[in-house]
Amino acid sequence: MRRRSGLSARLKLTLSYAGFLAVAGALLLAVVWVFLLRYVPDNSRGLLGIAPNRYLLVRTFAPAAAAAMVLLLVFGLVGGWILAGRMLAPLTRITDAARMAASGSLSHRIRMKGRQDEFRELADAFDLMLEQLDSHVAEQRRFAANASHELRTPLAISRTLLDVARKDPTRDRRELIERLHAVNTRAIDLIEALLLLGRGDRGTFTRESVDLSLVAEEAAETLLPLAEQRHITLDVTGEAARTSGSAELLQQMVTNLVQNAVVHNLPTGGTVTVHTEAHGDTSVLRVENTGRRLPPELVPTLTEPFQRGTERVRTDEHAGVGLGLAIVHSIVRAHGGTLDLVPRPVGGLLVTVRLPRRP
């Protein structure tokens, strides 16, 4: 929005400084006149019978006082301009950084040196904001690129299958329909996961009281056939752990964790333990599973979108789209909680979710 141009902050500070000196000088001269010159007799004999008298003192003092006032005004203007420039120099650096950020360059940092003052705090806060914006924009760009790649894959497969069917009319149509159905189902699952992830990031949902223990039991009951198919023992233990949030999103969070623990487990004879409890003002959900040993450097990347991990990629019907833990992280963050992933020494993963407790 364009605004009318006015006096700069530096000029305003300069005029204020010069005006202050002029007023101070005028007050000083007034004090001299009130408490000194007014008591000098205005006659030829002067004070105590000794010249000079008030007339001579005024004529001698007035030019010097006027010259002093002019010098004070000039000194105030010049000194105020220099001081204002030095005081506002950090603000100029912050303004330049803001203009660079507005043009799209988020990598620039002010990194102001010197003592800790108001301008230093403002510059540090601005640097922190730029760092977070840069990280967020890079994450969004990476997410968009990965999402585009993931969505392009099923579309490319569908086009290839259709091209093959068009060139070979004698091909088995039932096989083609089954493969197209599987590819289409995967694309739909990916789109629904992206929508759910976006909803969790926005945090736009109605809050209600939710018991994590009941949610865990429901998720375990839903995934029990999958666990039995893989010969995995699924146990739910603990006590009531109430929190405030979206029942649908929290159900999706627990389901993703339990399904992730079942799918990425031992080929047979594995275990998955879901435990809920309450500690003070925190409700805790723990999901622990057996499985292969995970490199410690791999674990922090598992909550990033489309990061499945080399040792965790599945090739069966539960391969997923690489958004399970990313959705969990988004939902936990939207509910004001924390998510901790710790690799078990004997293999597998321990996931701990902490959410604000609701009495």
Side-chain angles (χ1 to χ4, degrees):
M1 181 178 65
R2 297 182 60 86
R3 299 177 180 175
R4 293 189 305 172
S5 59
L7 298 179
S8 64
R10 186 176 185 179
L11 183 57
K12 290 180 180 179
L13 289 176
T14 300
L15 294 178
S16 299
Y17 184 72
F20 175 78
L21 286 182
V23 171
L27 289 177
L28 181 62
L29 292 179
V31 169
V32 172
W33 171 259
V34 171
F35 292 97
L36 180 61
L37 293 181
R38 65 177 297 186
Y39 293 107
V40 176
D42 191 14
N43 53 49
S44 58
R45 300 185 59 183
L47 183 64
L48 299 178
I50 305 173
N53 55 22
R54 185 194 302 176
Y55 174 76
L56 294 177
L57 286 177
V58 170
R59 292 197 59 182
T60 305
F61 179 73
M69 288 294 298
V70 172
L71 288 177
L72 279 177
L73 185 60
V74 173
F75 178 78
L77 291 174
V78 176
W81 183 262
I82 296 175
L83 289 177
R86 295 190 60 180
M87 291 295 297
L88 295 177
L91 192 59
T92 303
R93 294 181 57 185
I94 298 175
T95 303
D96 294 338
R99 287 182 179 145
M100 294 182 64
S103 64
S105 176
L106 299 177
S107 60
H108 178 71
R109 301 291 182 271
I110 301 174
R111 294 188 177 90
M112 187 174 295
K113 299 179 180 179
R115 297 181 179 180
Q116 192 73 21
D117 56 8
E118 289 81 357
F119 288 112
R120 175 70 181 276
E121 292 179 359
L122 178 60
D124 291 344
F126 193 82
D127 283 345
L128 180 60
M129 181 191 68
L130 287 180
E131 183 177 354
Q132 293 177 348
L133 283 176
D134 192 15
S135 175
H136 181 70
V137 169
E139 181 181 353
Q140 292 298 321
R141 289 175 179 173
R142 184 170 60 251
F143 175 80
N146 290 333
S148 300
H149 175 74
E150 294 287 337
L151 286 171
R152 184 176 57 184
T153 300
L155 294 177
I157 295 175
S158 298
R159 184 177 63 181
T160 302
L161 292 174
L162 293 174
D163 289 341
V164 171
R166 183 176 59 182
K167 295 178 181 179
D168 186 9
T170 61
R171 191 179 182 88
D172 187 4
R173 293 183 177 272
R174 180 174 298 178
E175 179 186 357
L176 175 63
I177 292 175
E178 290 296 331
R179 296 186 64 180
L180 284 175
H181 181 269
V183 173
N184 187 60
T185 300
R186 178 176 174 81
I188 292 175
D189 292 340
L190 176 59
I191 294 174
E192 290 180 349
L194 291 173
L195 293 175
L196 185 60
L197 182 62
R199 181 184 174 191
D201 287 335
R202 291 193 302 269
T204 55
F205 50 81
T206 303
R207 293 182 176 270
E208 56 182 302
S209 179
V210 180
D211 189 350
L212 294 180
S213 63
L214 299 179
V215 176
E217 291 178 0
E218 184 176 350
E221 183 179 354
T222 302
L223 296 170
L224 184 59
L226 176 63
E228 292 177 346
Q229 178 184 351
R230 295 172 178 269
H231 306 287
I232 293 175
T233 303
L234 179 56
D235 293 327
V236 179
T237 63
E239 58 185 10
R242 307 193 70 85
T243 187
S244 177
S246 169
E248 180 185 358
L249 291 179
L250 292 175
Q251 180 69 47
Q252 185 68 45
M253 176 195 74
V254 179
T255 302
N256 283 10
L257 288 177
V258 177
Q259 181 176 353
N260 188 76
V262 172
V263 172
H264 303 290
N265 211 306
L266 296 176
T268 182
T271 60
V272 175
T273 303
V274 183
H275 180 77
T276 58
E277 59 185 7
H279 283 302
D281 57 352
T282 303
S283 294
V284 181
L285 169 73
R286 290 191 180 92
V287 180
E288 185 176 6
N289 68 290
T290 55
R292 298 179 181 180
R293 292 187 178 181
L294 297 176
E297 64 274 8
L298 174 66
V299 175
T301 67
L302 296 180
T303 57
E304 297 181 7
F306 307 105
Q307 297 293 327
R308 300 180 183 88
T310 305
E311 299 294 331
R312 296 167 60 81
V313 174
R314 305 290 300 195
T315 57
D316 53 15
E317 69 276 11
H318 296 283
V321 294
L323 289 174
L325 289 179
I327 292 175
V328 170
H329 187 216
S330 174
I331 295 174
V332 172
R333 185 171 49 190
H335 286 77
T338 59
L339 175 67
D340 295 324
L341 281 69
V342 179
R344 299 173 71 242
V346 295
L349 191 67
L350 172 60
V351 181
T352 304
V353 176
R354 295 180 176 86
L355 298 174
R357 183 186 179 190
R358 175 171 180 173

